[in-house]
């Protein structure tokens, strides 16, 4: 990218977005659907250009690029199909006064002008996917693709004005300094995808304006391979996750705990699949590390490890950014490879049972994902009960991020807030409660006006008897499905009614009426 967006251009863009949002243009559902369709064509018409840009930025193989582009197009189309139903008012059960005598609705309001900060590892989808949610919600947006994936950023900034309403959706460019300047402005919502260290700066900046912020981060997401796992399939799927995008995925397996009983077999199979996927370290069908700085960071961590390198490969052309999947065994938790999120194709393996693994995982910051490989439900339940993460995939990796109408996001150090499908729409939406009461209720609610009179309040201040007894113990508690009082009464009435009908010889006609 030849030059970054200037401060004055940023100021003008934000001012224009504010004016556009105030005009109510983006609240029109027809407008939202039109702009979502324009976003769809932006990607569909220029798929080859996106693939070329991803090749230039990350040396990403065409298969991976087409796979992620397909997912992005499907998500945009899903927004187009669903936005009308998402935008409808909700009608809560607010009680007799607010729902029966009066009316209560929850209106889906756009938050306003949003700031979307994209990531470099999937520069197209991690920038345009949240933009689709913002458009669907009726927001305006300032969009800054990651400068690290420069070719993809330049492409999006160049294409956006040709397809989208530039008065409502402005694409800007910049590095750390420019982004910091943008964050000095007050936005109505900020959506950031990136690393935890950078997220702390973003959160500090948005806190000054009390701006609600979604942080889509990462963390040291583990895989846990128990003694009952299908070891070969676990090795195959973990190895494939490390190969994809050269492990530069927030959801990638950072390290793997393997039960001692299957440790030797797992090492043998992960080495086999590692060699197979990378053609013994000679394939060109693999991403490079995004830049030499990150490549040097990973190489430095490898040099300091006290583990045993089981499998690795070197680039045919000695490309310093080409690092093949590297398996390292005999790793301890204080090893250099576990000092930070790897975000690369290195897989440390720790020998431990699932109970020990859970203790270790729960002592660390919560990861974005945990991957459980087991065929024993009690092992799976134990891991779920004793850990916390953004999401979980069982006997595979990454896939929970693709579940339709399921939230994707982190917890704690791995992020806050979520998106995908309806959850993305909700992220950029304020749920505005609206209550409307008829005038005649003023008669029965006159007790609320001063001077206060306890006698006049009557039932308004009376607390009813609870539906539970004093002195209940833990063992007295019941959870799950059970008979409510109303349900039990209905069942009794039904049984008695059927009995009387049968007794009076009217059961046949009764069933016929049903």
């Amino acid at each position: 990218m030849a030059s970054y967006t200037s401060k004055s251009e940023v100021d003008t863009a934000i001012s224009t977005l504010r004016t556009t949002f105030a005009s109510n243009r983006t609240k029109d559902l027809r407008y939202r659907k039109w702009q979502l369709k324009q976003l769809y064509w932006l990607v569909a018409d220029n798929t080859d250009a996106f693939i070329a840009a991803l090749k230039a930025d990350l040396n990403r193989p065409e298969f991976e690029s087409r796979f992620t582009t397909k997912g992005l197009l499907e998500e945009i189309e899903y927004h187009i199909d669903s936005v009308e139903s998402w935008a409808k008012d909700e009608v809560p059960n607010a009680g007799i006064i607010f729902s029966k005598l009066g009316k209560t609705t929850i209106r889906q309001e756009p938050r306003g002008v949003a700031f979307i900060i994209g990531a470099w590892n999937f520069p197209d989808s991690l920038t345009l996917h949240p933009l689709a949610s913002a458009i669907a919600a009726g927001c305006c947006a300032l969009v800054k693709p990651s400068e690290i994936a420069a070719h993809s950023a330049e492409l999006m900034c160049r294409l956006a004005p040709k397809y989208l309403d530039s008065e409502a959706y402005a694409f800007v460019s910049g590095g750390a300094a420019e982004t910091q300047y943008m964050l000095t402005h007050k936005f109505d919502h900020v959506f950031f995808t990136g690393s935890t260290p950078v997220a702390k700066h973003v959160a500090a900046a948005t806190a000054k304006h009390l701006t609600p912020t979604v942080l889509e981060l990462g963390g040291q997401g583990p895989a846990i391979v128990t003694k009952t796992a299908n070891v070969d399939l676990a090795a195959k799927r973990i190895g494939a996750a490390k190969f994809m995008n050269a492990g530069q995925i927030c959801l990638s397996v950072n390290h793997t705990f393997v039960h001692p009983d299957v440790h030797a077999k797992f090492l043998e199979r992960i080495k086999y699949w590692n060699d197979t996927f990378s053609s013994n370290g000679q394939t060109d069908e693999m991403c490079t590390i995004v830049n030499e700085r990150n490549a040097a960071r990973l190489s430095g961590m490898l040099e300091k490890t006290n583990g045993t390198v089981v499998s690795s490969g070197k680039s045919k052309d000695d490309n310093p950014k080409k690092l093949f999947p590297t398996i390292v065994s005999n790793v301890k938790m204080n090893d250099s490879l576990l000092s930070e999120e790897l975000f690369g194709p290195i897989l440390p393996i720790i020998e431990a049972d699932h109970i020990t693994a859970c203790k270790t995982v729960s002592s660390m910051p919560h990861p974005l994902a945990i991957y459980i490989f087991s065929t024993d439900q009690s092992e799976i339940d134990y891991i779920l009960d004793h850990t916390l993460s953004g999401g979980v995939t069982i006997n595979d990796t990454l896939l929970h991020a693709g579940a339709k109408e399921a939230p994707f996001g982190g917890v704690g150090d791995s992020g806050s807030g979520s998106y995908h499908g309806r959850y993305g729409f909700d992220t950029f939406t304020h749920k505005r409660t609206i209550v409307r009461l008829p005038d005649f209720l003023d008669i029965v609610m006159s007790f609320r006006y001063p001077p206060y009179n306890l006698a006049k309040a009557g039932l308004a201040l009376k607390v009813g008897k609870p539906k539970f007894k004093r002195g209940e113990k833990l063992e007295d508690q019941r959870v799950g499905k059970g008979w409510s009082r109303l349900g039990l009464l209905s069942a009794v009435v039904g049984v008695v009614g059927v009995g009387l009908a049968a007794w009076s010889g009217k059961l046949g006609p009764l069933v016929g009426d049903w």
Side-chain angles (χ1 to χ4, degrees):
M1 188 166 290
S3 60
Y4 289 153
T5 306
S6 68
K7 289 183 178 180
S8 62
E9 290 171 326
V10 169
D11 295 343
T12 300
I14 295 174
S15 177
T16 300
L17 296 177
R18 286 263 171 233
T19 301
T20 300
F21 184 74
S23 73
N24 280 350
R25 184 192 309 175
T26 60
K27 290 186 178 182
D28 186 336
L29 279 172
R30 295 173 303 167
Y31 176 88
R32 300 187 208 183
K33 295 183 77 169
W34 172 50
Q35 287 297 289
L36 283 169
K37 291 174 182 177
Q38 291 299 103
L39 182 63
Y40 180 95
W41 293 121
L42 184 156
V43 178
D45 291 349
N46 300 281
T47 296
D48 289 343
F50 275 103
I51 290 171
L54 291 166
K55 183 73 173 177
D57 288 328
L58 291 153
N59 192 43
R60 180 175 292 162
E62 184 175 347
F63 173 84
E64 290 186 13
S65 294
R66 289 197 180 276
F67 187 77
T68 56
T69 300
K70 175 180 179 289
L72 175 59
L73 288 171
E74 289 176 342
E75 186 67 24
I76 297 172
E77 189 171 8
Y78 188 50
H79 278 63
I80 295 168
D81 294 339
S82 305
V83 63
E84 285 187 62
S85 62
W86 292 343
K88 287 181 179 178
D89 289 354
E90 298 175 34
V91 181
N93 182 6
I96 294 176
I97 291 178
F98 293 99
S99 290
K100 304 301 181 183
L101 301 178
K103 182 180 180 181
T104 299
T105 56
I106 301 173
R107 183 182 169 100
Q108 316 296 330
E109 295 279 14
R111 288 187 179 273
V113 177
F115 183 24
I116 298 171
I117 307 172
W120 56 261
N121 56 328
F122 290 91
D124 50 350
S125 57
L126 294 183
T127 303
L128 301 182
H129 188 161
L131 175 59
S133 297
I135 294 173
C139 293
C140 291
L142 186 75
V143 185
K144 195 203 82 66
S146 173
E147 77 284 1
I148 296 176
H151 297 85
S152 298
E154 188 278 332
L155 178 65
M156 285 184 278
C157 287
R158 177 164 49 85
L159 291 176
K162 298 180 181 179
Y163 287 83
L164 300 173
D165 180 354
S166 57
E167 293 183 341
Y169 312 106
F171 278 65
V172 291
S173 59
E178 288 76 16
T179 305
Q180 287 175 356
Y181 176 73
M182 295 172 195
L183 285 168
T184 62
H185 292 75
K186 179 176 174 57
F187 293 94
D188 301 303
H189 193 65
V190 171
F191 192 105
F192 169 80
T193 305
S195 68
T196 300
V198 176
K200 293 179 179 179
H201 294 288
V202 173
T206 57
K208 294 178 181 178
H209 299 295
L210 298 179
T211 302
T213 304
V214 169
L215 302 173
E216 293 293 343
L217 312 178
Q220 293 178 283
I224 301 175
V225 181
T226 76
K227 63 182 179 182
T228 69
N230 181 332
V231 176
D232 181 63
L233 193 59
K236 183 179 185 180
R237 289 175 171 174
I238 292 171
K242 273 298 187 184
F243 185 91
M244 182 180 289
N245 212 45
Q248 298 168 116
I249 307 174
C250 58
L251 283 169
S252 189
V253 179
N254 191 78
H255 53 280
T256 301
F257 295 96
V258 183
H259 194 282
D261 290 358
V262 297
H263 182 262
K265 183 178 179 182
F266 182 83
L267 282 181
E268 184 267 320
R269 297 315 296 165
I270 192 73
K271 183 180 185 305
Y272 168 81
W273 287 114
N274 186 51
D275 292 342
T276 300
F277 294 149
S278 63
S279 300
N280 293 309
Q282 295 301 305
T283 185
D284 289 324
E285 281 293 297
M286 183 178 173
C287 285
T288 54
I289 306 304
V290 67
N291 54 36
E292 293 188 12
R293 178 175 61 83
N294 275 304
R297 176 183 66 85
L298 290 166
S299 297
M301 295 171 77
L302 261 179
E303 290 173 2
K304 296 175 183 177
T305 182
N306 291 318
T308 303
V309 177
V310 175
S311 175
S312 65
K314 290 189 175 181
S315 172
K316 289 183 293 186
D317 55 6
D318 293 322
N319 183 346
K321 296 192 293 182
K322 199 70 171 275
L323 180 63
F324 285 96
T326 302
I327 311 302
V328 185
S329 65
N330 300 320
V331 175
K332 307 299 180 185
M333 292 307 299
N334 60 355
D335 194 87
S336 62
L337 294 178
L338 297 176
S339 60
E340 60 181 277
E341 181 182 4
L342 284 165
F343 218 68
I346 303 171
L347 180 64
I349 297 175
I350 302 104
E351 190 173 351
D353 60 33
H354 69 283
I355 295 175
T356 304
C358 286
K359 290 179 180 177
T360 303
V361 172
S362 62
S363 69
M364 301 172 69
H366 302 312
L368 185 59
I370 292 176
Y371 303 113
I372 304 170
F373 290 87
S374 172
T375 58
D376 185 331
Q377 188 60 45
S378 64
E379 292 176 340
I380 295 171
D381 289 340
Y382 183 92
I383 296 170
L384 292 174
D385 289 342
H386 291 82
T387 59
L388 182 61
S389 64
V392 177
T393 296
I394 298 171
N395 291 321
D396 212 323
T397 63
L398 313 179
L399 295 185
H400 65 275
K404 270 193 182 300
E405 284 305 322
F408 174 77
V411 58
D413 284 36
S414 60
S416 58
S418 60
Y419 71 127
H420 288 192
R422 173 65 191 255
Y423 293 90
F425 175 88
D426 286 346
T427 283
F428 288 91
T429 297
H430 167 61
K431 292 184 177 293
R432 188 182 186 188
T433 299
I434 301 171
V435 171
R436 182 178 301 158
L437 299 179
D439 291 351
F440 73 80
L441 279 179
D442 200 57
I443 299 172
V444 297
M445 297 178 68
S446 61
F447 62 85
R448 62 191 172 131
Y449 298 117
Y452 301 123
N453 187 319
L454 290 176
K456 287 174 59 179
L459 292 175
L461 295 181
K462 184 177 180 180
V463 179
K465 291 183 179 180
K467 298 177 182 179
F468 47 87
K469 298 178 181 178
R470 184 189 300 277
E472 287 187 0
K473 298 178 181 179
L474 175 62
E475 55 268 25
D476 297 327
Q477 309 309 307
R478 298 291 180 266
V479 295
K481 292 182 178 179
W483 289 99
S484 67
R485 292 179 181 178
L486 180 60
L488 184 60
L489 178 61
S490 299
V492 170
V493 171
V495 170
V496 172
V498 171
L500 290 172
W503 176 76
S504 63
K506 297 180 180 178
L507 183 59
L510 182 62
V511 173
D513 289 341
W514 288 355

